[in-house]
Amino acid sequence: MVAFLRWAVLFVPLCHAVRLHHNLYCDAGEVDIRRPPQPSRFGSPWPLPQHMKLSTDTFQLSGGGFAIVDAEESSARSDCSILQDAYRRCYLHMFGSDVGKHARTTGSPVLTELQVWISSPDPECDGYPTVTSDESYELFVSLPNAVLKAATVWGALHGLETFSQLVREDESGIKCINETIIQDFPRFAYRGVLLDTSRHFLPVRSILTTLEAMAMNKFNVFHWHIVDDTSFPYMSRTFPELSRKGAYHPYTHVYTPGEVKLVIEFARLRGIRVLPEFDTPGHTQSWGKGQPDLLTPCYSGATPSGTYGPVNPILNSTYDFMTTFFKEISEVFPDAYIHLGGDEVDFTCWKSNPDIQKFMVKQGFGQDYSKLESYYIQRLLDIVSSLKKGYVIWQEVFDNGVKLKPDTIVHVWIGGGTNEELGNVTSAGYTTVLSAPWYLDYISYGQDWQKYYKVEPLNFNGTAQQKKLVVGGEACMWGEYVDGTNLTPRLWPRASAVAERLWSAVDVTDPDDAFDRLSAHRCRMVGRGIAAEPLFSSYCPKEFRGA
Amino acid sequence: MVAFLRWAVLFVPLCHAVRLHHNLYCDAGEVDIRRPPQPSRFGSPWPLPQHMKLSTDTFQLSGGGFAIVDAEESSARSDCSILQDAYRRCYLHMFGSDVGKHARTTGSPVLTELQVWISSPDPECDGYPTVTSDESYELFVSLPNAVLKAATVWGALHGLETFSQLVREDESGIKCINETIIQDFPRFAYRGVLLDTSRHFLPVRSILTTLEAMAMNKFNVFHWHIVDDTSFPYMSRTFPELSRKGAYHPYTHVYTPGEVKLVIEFARLRGIRVLPEFDTPGHTQSWGKGQPDLLTPCYSGATPSGTYGPVNPILNSTYDFMTTFFKEISEVFPDAYIHLGGDEVDFTCWKSNPDIQKFMVKQGFGQDYSKLESYYIQRLLDIVSSLKKGYVIWQEVFDNGVKLKPDTIVHVWIGGGTNEELGNVTSAGYTTVLSAPWYLDYISYGQDWQKYYKVEPLNFNGTAQQKKLVVGGEACMWGEYVDGTNLTPRLWPRASAVAERLWSAVDVTDPDDAFDRLSAHRCRMVGRGIAAEPLFSSYCPKEFRGA
């Protein structure tokens, strides 16, 4: 029998008295959940599916007697390696080392098969996910077999993850699953995580672990802030000096072309886009080490001071370099977009340089150096457009009035005035991605996941048409204080809160149910080898066994 | 040639302009160090030795041609396993996998031997460290061989750690060490780290990793807050029901007698005391599950509510239980002290209970329930005294006027009025340990290690005699938000700041030199497999290779 459940939207703001020894900060409106986690009536899917009908009837599953197979009607065949890979992953997530076990002969009926049915003529087995990919799926868990139906492999990947999350152990340690019907699709098409591999180098292994965890949370964009002032770990084929001189170390702290390819393919197999960011004209100190004359020489009075500022926007050689460099980038990274940065340009050095001053006069820019910045960005955008790539830029580029192609994505990150900015960007007709409330590198004591969870991205003044332009959001983990030692527990499960906000329905906001499901979800991640940190005093059946 | 260096005490408070995208909080008086770490003129010993003479002359060392041996004059012989174990550890820290390599025939002179000379007739090879152990050592790095001289093995352990920290790699990857003379001893005798294994269970492996890192930082007390309200993972031989019913899980989330013994021996081999805490009468919810009638039944009006409060102080059975229980504890844990807690007793339940009310009348306590608390504590202290153990108690026990033995240690933890409390405790003649400024479970964005580093424990009004009663301090890592997933990067290198404050001379306060040495020290810990998190944008020659 299938019972219909409605989403509970019970917001219970209770903030217990502060205790001295084990003080708990409780921000305005934040819920201080001090009870042990309870089983949620939804089980523990995270993020919560859009529509879910859950029966109390259960089926047994066993590693020795369960198969995930292509449905006969499916357009994907056995050579669709992205699916085959996902079947294997799903199976391992469900059964781990219990692969040889068989179901009991008594007890609940046995479910032996999950059939995966790709319904679109082109399953997109060899494609890359895009911002317009169809990620929806339907899941029918019933006898004689479970069916996962999706238009493309992208929806199927999410459905397999959900299926694996529905499987649990009963009191006797038997794997079981409830009779269930799910119709699911993301609320937002862009659900990103930013890693910064410049301020600290992240070993490829850390990046792959992050991609694994992202797939468990249905994130679909890895925004790779790959280079910055501090170091240039990207090994360029056309300009090898950039990493040779700009990386922390030319051999141990670089990403080789093979490793970049590995990251992209590992991400693709999990339905994740890799959006590379090469931020200019600021944040480029490390570029200057391997590319002479790229940066602006700063002056102290009438003489060069020996230090360098942003990219030099007045030399033709700069644009020749950018053309060649971004041609390489557009070939190495298959995604339709490149993130071009454009944030935080410091004008001090430009102002000090007499050649720049002359150029300003010649161009009629007066003393308005943001016009010079726009001049540079405009030319850069033209270059990237000619490479048939779309671009994402940080919000300052929009704020400064640079002319943008209509399909440009404006990335909103500044903490103050976020809603006003979203209104401005969308009323100008631009697509936008929101990161401002989700700077996860900022840490604080207590359950700050709730703060991230409570954000409503569309809570700004604007028409329905404007709101459609918010394609999603992104959790940012900047790298000043983060490297391979602490990345994973700092990112998870805090980023999971963002994941559910971006995937689930607008009214999925009950903090108590979220606490219960998220507690189970973080233990599930721990069980799968992800060092996701705890929400509050409690335990996991299988604790983390790393260092 | 040996050059004499004086400690630099340059405090350069510079707080750069806040940048938007990569905002850095800069507390009042905190130094915002945004430059890459530089080599310190002291090399990278951490904590900084009390006296250090460093020459520019260097010697080569090689894994294939270096030995650590007992000096002929030493009172310790080859059966002193604590030293043999430490020699091996020191060797591995210096040479890692380079054990087979040999020194170059050209270049600096080759150092082939470190002789370890224990000068006291009793080297204490089979003893346990105590608060009065002699931890001092002298180190002479010169030809024909280096000599480490210490009264006991406890000083030798620290000297070996320092020696291993003096060894570095030159530009060609050759291990080398400067000619050096060190006379070293701790400023404070008690240098502790608290782990909380109740709110989250910590796998034994996490505890051992912590002990390893503690030894690298010359900490000497592991304060094991082993049980609390949330869970009782200590497996008692006399009361097995306590963990069977009170642990998160009776098999997977307990410390067996064998594991406790392992932790104690692992700590001893590193010169670390294990101070167990069994906190009563509050913080005992988990005790009640396996020991009926131990806790006070709370009343709702005239009937028991079904919930329980602190330990029931009016029953003889309570004291019988405590006598038997602490007899076991006093035998299992060899340390001369037991931490008895005594913090945060909530009187609500006691007030509700009619039997307690009658007892209050009978004893003439009026409505002053702190008298009842003192009554309990007093009887508990008598029990523990009769077991020939000293005790440490949280400050409330002192604040409430409980009669204490003169050698009681009062543990100061309350954040407000700390200096006043230190004045009061020491003017009453009690020994004290300071934790209030070092609650490392409280996290915040940025370089908060500096806040811990800046603390001066003796900065309170009191006589020289009073200040001698401050035997040390302790970094606390409470477990509400900490388990095996995030313990190590959250504890290190933040606890290292506390370690230097407690070991080094009072005038070692230069934040820039500390930043440089601590950056190198954290990379050294990473190289030794400890996932110590970064201080700021930078890199380690060998990055962490864990998850």
Side-chain angles (χ1 to χ4, degrees), chain A residues 21 23 343-344 439 442 543, chain B residues 21 23 253 343-344 439 442:
Chain A
H21 216 159
N23 203 349
D343 58 317
E344 298 183 313
Y439 266 40
Y442 287 86
E543 299 289 356
Chain B
H21 216 158
N23 202 348
H253 287 67
D343 57 318
E344 298 183 313
Y439 266 39
Y442 287 86

Side-chain angles (χ1 to χ4, degrees), chain A residues 422-489:
Chain A
L422 287 173
N424 292 342
V425 169
T426 55
S427 89
Y430 292 110
T431 300
T432 184
V433 167
L434 178 64
S435 277
W438 293 316
Y439 266 40
L440 270 54
D441 54 320
Y442 287 86
I443 55 169
S444 57
Y445 185 74
Q447 297 198 35
D448 62 358
W449 67 271
Q450 295 184 42
K451 187 173 66 184
Y452 306 127
Y453 192 70
K454 276 193 317 193
V455 172
E456 172 42 57
L458 303 188
N459 197 18
F460 64 92
N461 285 328
T463 62
Q465 194 57 34
Q466 275 177 263
K467 301 207 172 175
K468 277 190 190 149
L469 292 170
V470 180
V471 285
E474 185 175 292
C476 296
M477 185 54 78
W478 295 101
E480 281 86 348
Y481 301 103
V482 177
D483 70 3
T485 62
N486 59 355
L487 170 66
T488 300

Side-chain angles (χ1 to χ4, degrees), chain A residues 113-192:
Chain A
E113 205 170 78
L114 170 63
Q115 298 187 353
V116 179
W117 175 5
I118 307 297
S119 58
S120 169
D122 178 6
E124 305 187 20
C125 293
D126 299 313
Y128 288 90
T130 72
V131 75
T132 57
S133 291
D134 185 343
E135 298 182 283
S136 66
Y137 67 93
E138 292 175 293
L139 188 55
F140 307 89
V141 181
S142 57
L143 294 181
N145 47 253
V147 176
L148 166 61
K149 190 176 173 188
T152 66
V153 295
W154 314 118
L157 292 175
H158 295 312
L160 288 163
E161 175 60 35
T162 301
F163 185 83
S164 77
Q165 295 188 0
L166 297 176
V167 174
R168 54 188 170 79
E169 279 189 4
D170 71 9
E171 307 70 35
S172 341
I174 306 289
K175 304 282 181 187
C176 60
I177 190 167
N178 286 56
E179 191 176 16
T180 309
I181 300 177
I182 287 175
Q183 287 183 301
D184 200 13
F185 53 86
R187 183 174 171 215
F188 293 101
Y190 183 116
R191 305 178 305 282

Side-chain angles (χ1 to χ4, degrees), chain A residues 19-25 199-200 203 205-206 209 229-230 248 252-253 283 343-344 394 413 439 441-447 478 480-486 488-490 522 526 531-541 543-547, chain B residues 19-25 199-200 203 205-206 209 229-230 248 252-253 283 343-344 394 413 439 441-447 478 480-486 488-490 522 526 531-541 543-547:
Chain A
R19 291 174 63 189
L20 279 169
H21 216 159
H22 306 288
N23 203 349
L24 289 166
Y25 292 107
R199 292 176 177 86
H200 285 97
R205 183 174 166 173
S206 296
T209 299
D229 282 329
T230 35
Y248 282 132
T252 59
H253 287 67
H283 291 280
D343 58 317
E344 298 183 313
W394 294 113
W413 66 271
Y439 266 40
D441 54 320
Y442 287 86
I443 55 169
S444 57
Y445 185 74
Q447 297 198 35
W478 295 101
E480 281 86 348
Y481 301 103
V482 177
D483 70 3
T485 62
N486 59 355
T488 300
R490 195 164 283 202
R522 98 95 185 173
V526 167
E533 67 178 20
L535 296 184
F536 190 60
S537 304
S538 186
Y539 72 105
C540 293
E543 299 289 356
F544 184 66
R545 292 283 161 200
Chain B
R19 291 173 65 190
L20 278 170
H21 216 158
H22 304 288
N23 202 348
L24 288 165
Y25 291 107
R199 291 177 178 85
H200 285 97
R205 182 172 167 174
S206 296
T209 299
D229 283 329
T230 35
Y248 282 131
T252 59
H253 287 67
H283 290 281
D343 57 318
E344 298 183 313
W394 294 112
W413 67 269
Y439 266 39
D441 53 320
Y442 287 86
I443 54 169
S444 57
Y445 185 75
Q447 296 199 36
W478 295 102
E480 280 86 349
Y481 301 103
V482 177
D483 70 2
T485 61
N486 59 356
T488 300
R490 195 164 283 201
R522 100 95 186 172
V526 167
E533 68 179 20
L535 297 184
F536 190 61
S537 304
S538 186
Y539 71 104
C540 292
E543 299 290 357
F544 184 66
R545 291 283 160 200

Side-chain angles (χ1 to χ4, degrees), chain A residues 297-515:
Chain A
C298 314
Y299 277 66
S300 178
T303 51
S305 67
T307 63
Y308 294 88
V311 163
N312 193 329
I314 68 171
L315 301 180
N316 284 330
S317 59
T318 290
Y319 301 99
D320 293 343
F321 167 82
M322 291 296 170
T323 303
T324 311
F325 181 76
F326 277 102
K327 182 159 191 305
E328 171 183 328
I329 298 308
S330 70
E331 288 161 2
V332 168
F333 293 91
D335 199 75
Y337 286 84
I338 300 173
H339 201 304
L340 296 175
D343 58 317
E344 298 183 313
V345 182
D346 183 349
F347 297 146
T348 319
C349 180
W350 279 351
K351 286 179 183 169
S352 78
N353 182 303
D355 297 327
I356 301 264
Q357 290 161 9
K358 276 178 224 153
F359 187 82
M360 292 284 289
V361 172
K362 192 177 136 206
Q363 295 286 332
F365 291 163
Q367 287 302 307
D368 187 354
Y369 283 82
S370 74
K371 286 191 175 149
L372 181 60
E373 180 186 354
S374 295
Y375 170 86
Y376 167 80
I377 296 272
Q378 195 63 66
R379 290 191 64 173
L380 180 67
L381 298 188
D382 290 343
I383 289 167
V384 175
S385 290
S386 75
L387 297 167
K388 312 284 176 225
K389 289 282 184 178
Y391 37 78
V392 187
I393 40 85
W394 294 113
Q395 71 178 75
E396 289 99 315
V397 178
F398 166 79
D399 296 345
N400 288 343
V402 176
K403 198 179 117 200
L404 300 166
K405 281 196 306 176
D407 65 339
T408 301
I409 297 180
V410 179
H411 199 159
V412 171
W413 66 271
I414 295 179
T418 305
N419 282 339
E420 202 185 337
E421 180 78 5
L422 287 173
N424 292 342
V425 169
T426 55
S427 89
Y430 292 110
T431 300
T432 184
V433 167
L434 178 64
S435 277
W438 293 316
Y439 266 40
L440 270 54
D441 54 320
Y442 287 86
I443 55 169
S444 57
Y445 185 74
Q447 297 198 35
D448 62 358
W449 67 271
Q450 295 184 42
K451 187 173 66 184
Y452 306 127
Y453 192 70
K454 276 193 317 193
V455 172
E456 172 42 57
L458 303 188
N459 197 18
F460 64 92
N461 285 328
T463 62
Q465 194 57 34
Q466 275 177 263
K467 301 207 172 175
K468 277 190 190 149
L469 292 170
V470 180
V471 285
E474 185 175 292
C476 296
M477 185 54 78
W478 295 101
E480 281 86 348
Y481 301 103
V482 177
D483 70 3
T485 62
N486 59 355
L487 170 66
T488 300
R490 195 164 283 202
L491 189 54
W492 308 105
R494 293 163 74 233
S496 302
V498 184
E500 179 151 300
R501 181 56 49 239
L502 294 173
W503 179 282
S504 302
V506 61
D507 60 358
V508 178
T509 54
D510 176 1
D512 282 293
D513 185 66
F515 175 76

Side-chain angles (χ1 to χ4, degrees), chain B residues 82-129:
Chain B
I82 191 170
L83 279 187
Q84 297 301 321
D85 194 84
Y87 295 171
R88 194 180 132 274
R89 203 163 57 242
C90 178
Y91 181 92
L92 289 172
H93 283 162
M94 292 187 294
F95 301 112
S97 55
D98 293 349
V99 292
K101 293 205 184 144
H102 285 274
R104 284 179 305 187
T105 47
T106 57
S108 325
V110 177
L111 187 70
T112 58
E113 204 171 78
L114 169 63
Q115 297 187 353
V116 179
W117 176 5
I118 307 298
S119 59
S120 168
D122 178 7
E124 303 186 21
C125 293
D126 299 313
Y128 287 90

